[in-house]
Amino acid sequence: MASSDRFLGLFFEEARELLQALEAGLMDLEARQGDREHVDRTFRAAHTLKGASGMVGLRAVAGFTHKVEAVLDQIRAGKLPVTADAITILLRSRDHLGAAVDAAMDGKTLDDPADLAAALDALAEGRSPAPTPAPAEEPSSYVVGQVEEPTPTEATGPGDDRPDPPDVLPADLMETATAPATSYRITFTPGADLLRGGVNPLGFLDELRELGEATVRAITDRIPPLDAIDPTACYLAWEIDLTTAAGRPAIDEVFLFLDDPAQVRVEAVALGEALAPSPGPPPPPELPAAPPPAAPPGEPARPKPVVAARVRVDAEQLDQLVGMAGELAVLTDSLQGLADLPAAAPWAGTIEALERLGRLLRDATLELRMVPVEELFSRFPRVVRDLAERSGKKIDLVIEGADTQLDRTIIERLADPMIHLIRNAVDHGLETPDERLAAGKPATGRITIAAGHEGDRVAIRIGEDGRGLDRAKILKKGIRLGLLPPDTPIDDPRVGTLIFEAGFSTRDQVGELSGRGVGLDVVRDTIRALRGTVSLRSAEGKGTTFLIRLPLTLAMIDGLLVEDDGGRYVVPIGQVDECVSLMPGELASTLGRPAAVVRGELVPIVPLHHHGEVDAGEGRRELLLTRYAEQRVAVGVDRLLGRVQTVIQPLDPALGRLGRYSGATILGDGSVCLILDLTTLVGDARARDLGRGAAARGPNHDPHPVPQR
Amino acid sequence: MSPNQAEPPALAVAGPVTLEEVARHRGAWLAALAQGAGLRLDLDGSGPWDVAGLQLLLSALGAGGPVRLAGMPAGLRELAGRAGVLDRLDAAAV
């Protein structure tokens, strides 16, 4: 029963899921302690993790999980009430297990935190645990797929590159022999499937022998004669008389990963009492005679290969598949014209079918990348719970639209910014219970996280009903920092977006929970990098809501193909509010800069190329209307060529540094075309404008300019 | 065994006797036993053994028929010792 790398790899995948299931179960346990099914499910997650980690030789993990399982067993037997303290201890234990599994992936062993182990033991034994200190260091980020690292008491070095083989009992599991030797009679009746499960029962006997003086008697009277036996079933049983100072827990440890504890009976016998052979083994489980039964009773000791309804796929391979399917779709699309040629008539049907299949294949593979945001949102109840505990605020978390689907890569990268926004909400937004009551609000604050589709985008809202932005304070600081002109009115939309600027915090001291130099500017940049946008709405005294808009997928782009100054570019449709034609003579200006009048509103125009100037006399121009810092801006191009849907190719790093290009794509005619990022384009243009203006104004040029009217 | 009785037929057991092979060995031993004259299992070419093989051997010995064991390899003896059944195998040895 050797642990191979493959088994270990499967274990780590399974462990991750089990830990998630365990956490989810624990989070609801307080509210659902009467729900027998829920408690059982939570128990089983721990139980399965214990068995699986023991199977691959991770004894420390198995041992610690055993403690968690013992507490859950007490809960499900109704012998231990579920209190908030108990849940906190269990959740911290789960965190430790996550860290221990992660450490095991690197071949290291993590020591069990002694206070946590003691607290679990106390709970399992019905004593009230001593208060455990909160983890000293706050985790810096939560990332989907990983678990936060609490402060490990000690990580033992890489001396063990492979996990211990499970057959030998390491010395550290034996208690020091301060107790006097005790005699036990152990009856071990393996289930019929033990051998088929790859388990060697003699291993247990060997371990028992290591604990002290052992006399082993085999019980063979259940073995059928040769013509009746099912040769792969296990009929052997054993009775072991063991005298040891190691204590009962050491004996239990030997059988730790035996799936059915009913297979072992341990009785302490007073020293000196004659150990007569017992009359017989305990009633054995139903044994099959040949032929073996179709469904083996009980659970095998080794995780069965599951023919599942889902398969695991390597992420990189999936991306490659999506890329290829996308290129195929482009190629087949370009066959469109071919089908109309008379000479191609015999193949018209085939060509059409090819086109259709290409599109279907592309769409189907793209769908493989989609996962429900639930995967991301499921971490948040825990985050909010911890934040509420630390801040002393009462918080209700409401989650909506968790089944909304989003590209897997986007979801992974959303975790950090969303966690930051949640921390922001708790730290800056929500008031303490006393403050809320004084303001006539309920003592418990509410955070709402909602996801939904808006056209071809996904919108995610993170809102709270707290104190709302203090616009006066923000305005004051903005003016003081030179980010806004002194006469800016308080309802100016730029006031709201100032909090996204780097280093901007109206707190004199950064908030304990959120202000670690990771500001909202990083949140904004991360979301921009995902080709999304973030904005906010706030009302003083009522609360603040952040709104994140994201494309459904990063792999494909739905864009407008435009031509300007002889070059072709793709502009993401999501960035364009509308297209307007500018006829000759319609060019207006505002503050000396070109502008257009759109439904009575003066919209400044930014040329695509910074060396190009918008010239009224030169014929018709097309304007792509977009938003920048809550203002409408137009980007002028020569022509609109139509809509495209193509797979994105990443850019050469050198080009990528010109922030205005977010990628490239291959058009149907095989030509490569750059993808424009309008937001960066407009932002750069503004910076240049301000630069010119600042040069005119004087030497104190602000590196973070804000568009001026 | 009385010297006047014919020696039981011998069956050489070769190769592994583990979970993978026990079904096959069982068939062979049953076929040999069906001839009705007992059986001597020559084990010196056999191995490795595991608990399934050991159990099959005990099953054959428990048949009540005269099954004898010859040439037990060291690995089998060690396994039987750990399992607490060495005395039973020795009792059936020629």
Side-chain angles (χ1 to χ4, degrees):
Chain A
M1 191 180 55
S3 317
S4 67
D5 281 337
R6 194 166 164 270
F7 266 131
L8 214 44
L10 286 173
F11 164 75
F12 287 129
E13 285 180 12
E14 193 187 357
R16 180 172 301 162
E17 288 183 356
L18 288 169
L19 285 166
Q20 275 179 0
L22 184 57
E23 182 176 51
L26 290 173
M27 291 296 303
D28 277 347
L29 204 56
E30 213 174 342
R32 293 169 76 169
Q33 41 185 310
D35 180 347
R36 179 64 200 226
E37 244 188 71
H38 179 83
V39 178
D40 274 348
R41 252 200 313 272
T42 311
F43 170 84
R44 268 201 305 278
H47 180 72
T48 310
L49 180 63
K50 180 192 81 172
S53 48
M55 280 286 110
V56 294
L58 296 177
R59 297 186 68 92
V61 173
F64 194 83
T65 313
H66 179 60
K67 291 184 191 291
V68 172
E69 185 202 40
V71 174
L72 290 170
D73 202 19
Q74 291 291 86
I75 291 174
R76 87 177 168 155
K79 296 190 188 146
L80 180 68
V82 179
T83 61
D85 280 342
I87 296 293
T88 303
I89 291 170
L90 286 168
L91 282 172
R92 292 218 190 104
S93 303
R94 187 224 81 109
D95 291 346
H96 167 71
L97 284 172
V101 168
D102 283 349
M105 284 205 257
D106 295 331
K108 298 196 177 80
T109 316
L110 217 56
D111 278 350
D112 294 342
D115 55 352
L116 212 45
L120 287 171
D121 287 338
L123 277 176
E125 289 164 24
R127 294 180 276 118
S128 62
T132 59
E137 178 169 318
E138 152 134 328
S140 56
S141 71
Y142 284 72
V143 178
V144 171
Q146 289 181 21
V147 179
E148 67 177 29
E149 300 158 45
T151 45
T153 51
E154 192 191 318
T156 57
D160 249 24
D161 278 322
R162 304 204 59 99
D164 284 323
D167 287 343
V168 176
L169 189 73
D172 55 288
L173 275 186
M174 294 171 60
E175 292 179 10
T176 52
T178 51
T182 315
S183 290
Y184 301 89
R185 166 149 301 161
I186 301 159
T187 318
F188 173 33
T189 315
D193 284 325
L194 189 87
L195 300 178
R196 285 189 278 259
V199 180
N200 180 4
L202 301 190
F204 301 107
L205 303 178
D206 294 338
E207 290 186 29
L208 288 173
R209 287 190 182 98
E210 303 229 342
L211 292 179
E213 263 194 53
T215 311
V216 174
R217 272 187 304 283
I219 301 162
T220 58
D221 40 14
R222 295 186 316 154
I223 302 177
L226 204 57
D227 56 357
I229 188 176
D230 169 9
T232 60
C234 184
Y235 303 90
L236 278 163
W238 287 271
E239 208 171 66
I240 306 106
D241 292 329
L242 175 67
T243 303
T244 176
R248 175 67 191 265
I251 299 177
D252 289 342
E253 290 276 10
V254 169
F255 297 101
L256 194 55
F257 15 104
L258 208 52
D259 216 43
D260 181 5
Q263 296 176 18
V264 178
R265 209 172 61 190
V266 181
E267 288 165 48
V269 174
L271 262 181
E273 211 179 273
L275 285 177
S278 62
E286 259 297 305
L287 286 178
E299 295 166 0
R302 177 168 73 195
K304 262 196 278 227
V306 175
V307 179
R310 315 185 72 84
V311 291
R312 294 186 191 282
V313 174
D314 180 65
E316 229 178 88
Q317 284 185 325
L318 183 60
D319 284 348
Q320 278 175 14
L321 186 63
V322 172
M324 288 192 285
E327 278 185 51
L328 184 67
V330 168
L331 290 173
T332 53
D333 274 351
S334 68
L335 292 175
Q336 205 174 28
L338 189 62
D340 296 331
L341 294 179
W347 296 283
T350 308
I351 294 174
E352 251 178 55
L354 202 54
E355 277 181 88
R356 199 169 54 241
L357 202 55
R359 273 197 302 275
L360 285 174
L361 190 63
R362 181 200 61 203
D363 291 344
T365 50
L366 275 179
E367 239 184 276
L368 288 177
R369 285 174 56 127
M370 305 293 274
V371 292
V373 289
E374 214 270 318
E375 253 191 46
L376 171 63
F377 287 7
S378 61
R379 332 210 103 236
F380 296 155
R382 178 66 197 279
V383 172
V384 170
R385 186 186 193 278
D386 288 348
L387 289 172
E389 221 178 56
R390 278 184 214 136
S391 64
K393 297 178 182 173
K394 296 212 180 101
I395 307 175
D396 238 349
L397 175 64
V398 174
I399 294 184
E400 290 165 4
D403 54 353
T404 308
Q405 301 230 321
L406 197 49
D407 187 291
R408 180 181 43 82
T409 346
I410 298 183
I411 285 194
E412 283 162 20
R413 286 151 76 176
L414 262 186
D416 273 354
M418 285 195 70
I419 300 277
H420 188 87
L421 290 174
I422 292 173
R423 289 207 177 120
N424 227 56
V426 176
D427 196 30
H428 295 267
L430 290 177
E431 316 95 323
T432 64
D434 288 340
E435 286 170 336
R436 289 180 66 88
L437 288 169
K441 292 183 186 177
T444 304
R446 169 172 287 201
I447 294 180
T448 308
I449 300 178
H453 287 285
E454 279 181 16
D456 69 336
R457 313 223 103 197
V458 167
I460 298 179
R461 286 178 170 72
I462 300 149
E464 33 88 351
D465 63 350
R467 45 172 81 96
L469 288 185
D470 186 341
R471 292 184 79 92
K473 216 166 166 189
I474 295 174
L475 177 62
K476 202 160 113 183
K477 175 150 187 187
I479 293 173
R480 205 179 67 224
L481 288 180
L483 296 172
L484 286 176
D487 57 351
T488 309
I490 194 163
D491 54 1
D492 192 301
R494 290 173 291 176
V495 174
T497 56
L498 266 187
I499 59 174
F500 287 108
E501 297 304 318
F504 194 98
S505 171
T506 54
R507 285 257 181 104
D508 295 319
Q509 283 165 325
V510 289
E512 182 217 303
L513 298 180
S514 57
R516 289 210 169 181
V518 175
L520 288 175
D521 60 322
V522 176
V523 170
R524 181 195 55 190
D525 290 345
T526 307
I527 291 175
R528 272 211 200 135
L530 297 172
R531 298 213 305 274
T533 57
V534 58
S535 58
L536 64 84
R537 274 187 176 61
S538 180
E540 210 153 327
K542 297 233 176 67
T544 306
T545 299
F546 285 88
L547 175 58
I548 300 173
R549 281 207 186 84
L550 298 157
L552 283 171
T553 174
L554 294 182
M556 286 267 302
I557 182 144
D558 193 4
L560 279 178
L561 187 61
V562 304
E563 191 185 275
D564 191 64
D565 200 23
R568 288 194 297 176
Y569 306 89
V570 171
V571 176
I573 283 266
Q575 291 185 344
V576 179
D577 285 346
E578 66 179 288
C579 300
V580 165
S581 295
L582 186 70
M583 305 310 284
E586 280 183 351
L587 187 64
S589 77
T590 167
L591 297 177
R593 286 170 188 82
V597 179
V598 180
R599 292 189 290 279
E601 183 191 347
L602 212 53
V603 179
I605 301 177
V606 171
L608 193 56
H609 293 98
H610 69 262
H611 54 76
E613 293 295 340
V614 182
D615 187 341
E618 223 174 65
R620 168 178 164 162
R621 298 272 291 161
E622 304 297 338
L623 300 178
L624 309 172
L625 266 63
T626 183
R627 287 204 165 269
Y628 184 83
E630 310 265 332
Q631 278 193 297
R632 300 224 338 172
V633 179
V635 175
V637 299
D638 289 340
R639 281 166 55 201
L640 296 179
L641 297 177
R643 252 178 106 148
V644 287
Q645 252 196 349
T646 53
V647 172
I648 299 177
Q649 312 292 334
L651 273 184
D652 183 275
L655 259 180
R657 265 186 265 117
L658 298 175
R660 57 173 57 198
Y661 301 119
S662 61
T665 185
I666 301 176
L667 297 178
D669 62 1
S671 61
V672 176
C673 183
L674 292 170
I675 300 169
L676 278 174
D677 177 19
L678 287 191
T679 320
T680 315
L681 185 76
V682 173
D684 286 352
R686 291 306 189 172
R688 277 193 308 278
D689 278 353
L690 277 161
R692 279 188 234 124
R697 280 196 304 274
N700 293 326
H701 175 58
D702 195 300
H704 291 286
V706 160
Q708 297 206 344
R709 264 208 257 268
Chain B
M1 199 166 18
S2 128
N4 289 334
Q5 273 184 338
E7 286 286 309
L11 178 67
V13 180
V17 191
T18 71
L19 192 74
E20 297 248 319
E21 300 91 17
V22 281
R24 175 169 59 80
H25 287 293
R26 172 179 173 255
W29 301 358
L30 275 174
L33 278 169
Q35 291 166 30
L39 182 62
R40 190 184 87 199
L41 291 172
D42 284 339
L43 302 175
D44 44 14
S46 67
W49 288 75
D50 71 356
V51 173
L54 183 62
Q55 182 178 257
L56 192 70
L57 209 53
L58 292 168
S59 171
L61 293 178
V67 174
R68 293 290 176 261
L69 307 176
M72 274 191 279
L76 174 59
R77 293 188 65 83
E78 192 248 340
L79 191 77
R82 282 164 70 202
V85 295
L86 184 56
D87 50 350
R88 254 167 267 219
L89 297 194
D90 280 340
V94 297

